[in-house]
Amino acid sequence: PADTATRLVAGSTLVFQMHYTTTGKATSDRTSIGLVFADKPPATELRGTALVNGNFEIPPGAAAHRVDAEMTFNRDVTLWSMLPHTHVRGKRWIYEAIFPDGRKETILSVPKYDFEWQTDYVFKQPLKLPAGTKLHATAWYDNSRGNKSNPDPTLDVWWGDQTWEEMMFTGLTYSLDPAPAPPSAQ
C-alpha cells in the first residue's frame, strides 16, 4: 500500500530459493527481480516473519492428517498479509487469532489449497492484533492414494525442501504498532 515499505539495509545480501520441477531436459533460468526504492521514509515499515512447524510426520495413506503451529505476538502489530505454503499433499488451511480476552476469530480459511496456485493473501483491511494475541494455524494433508498429486502414498512424510517431502510454513507481513505513551506522572 501507499506509504509503506520494507527496509533493506545497505550492504544486505538477498538470497532467493528457486523451486524447479525436473523435466529431463537441459534448460536455463530467466529469473529476474525489480526493486522500487522509496524517495522518503515511509509512514509504515513492513516486516516479514514466518510461522512454521517443521516437526511432523504424515503417516502413509492418511487422507486428512492435521498439523498445527502457533505463535504469540509480544507487541501490538498490524497484520497485512499471509502466505500459506505446503507441497503436493497440502489440502486446506485455517488460521485463527486468539485474542488476549479469549475471543477467537477465523482470519483466513483456504478450503481448497492448491500447490500449483499459491498466493499471498493480502487483507483488504489490515488486522490489528494486540500484544498477547496468538496466531494459530492448522493445515491438513492428503497422503492417500486418492490424492492424484501424491508421489507415493505408501511412505511416511516429513519436513523437507523437495516437493515429494512436505512443509507447514506461513509467510507473514506485518508492521509494529507505535508503543503506547507511558502514563503521565501526577
Side-chain angles (χ1 to χ4, degrees):
D3 215 12
T4 66
T6 299
R7 183 179 178 86
L8 182 62
V9 178
S12 294
T13 299
L14 300 177
V15 178
F16 296 89
Q17 183 184 42
M18 309 307 288
H19 291 241
Y20 299 101
T21 301
T22 60
T23 63
K25 297 178 184 174
T27 188
S28 61
D29 176 71
R30 297 188 329 205
T31 300
S32 63
I33 182 171
L35 299 174
V36 177
F37 293 95
D39 53 6
K40 64 182 170 79
T44 304
E45 179 185 339
L46 299 180
R47 298 170 178 231
T49 193
L51 174 58
V52 176
N53 180 345
N55 185 24
F56 59 83
E57 178 182 352
I58 305 169
H65 184 77
R66 178 180 174 153
V67 176
D68 294 277
E70 189 171 270
M71 68 189 301
T72 302
F73 294 99
N74 61 6
R75 296 255 323 252
D76 293 348
V77 300
T78 299
L79 187 60
W80 295 80
S81 70
M82 304 173 74
L83 190 152
H85 175 76
T86 64
H87 292 164
V88 295
R89 292 173 188 86
K91 64 188 274 183
R92 69 183 174 113
W93 286 85
I94 296 266
Y95 296 89
E96 282 188 314
I98 305 162
F99 295 93
D101 64 6
R103 180 175 53 92
K104 292 182 180 183
E105 180 182 337
T106 298
I107 60 172
L108 178 62
S109 174
V110 184
K112 293 182 180 179
Y113 177 86
D114 185 341
F115 179 70
E116 300 296 331
W117 188 69
Q118 297 180 50
T119 189
D120 193 15
Y121 293 89
V122 179
F123 297 106
K124 285 183 183 178
Q125 184 63 43
L127 303 176
K128 296 286 189 181
L129 302 175
T133 299
K134 291 180 183 177
L135 179 59
H136 187 96
T138 305
W140 286 266
Y141 299 82
D142 183 353
N143 192 23
S144 74
R145 293 189 189 283
N147 177 355
K148 67 181 188 283
S149 299
N150 191 352
D152 190 342
T154 67
L155 298 178
D156 288 297
V157 181
W158 295 276
W159 176 279
D161 288 340
Q162 301 301 319
T163 304
W164 64 82
E165 298 167 312
E166 269 303 339
M167 288 189 175
M168 200 275 194
F169 174 96
T170 303
L172 305 171
T173 302
Y174 71 98
S175 58
L176 296 174
D177 292 351
S184 60
Q186 296 276 346

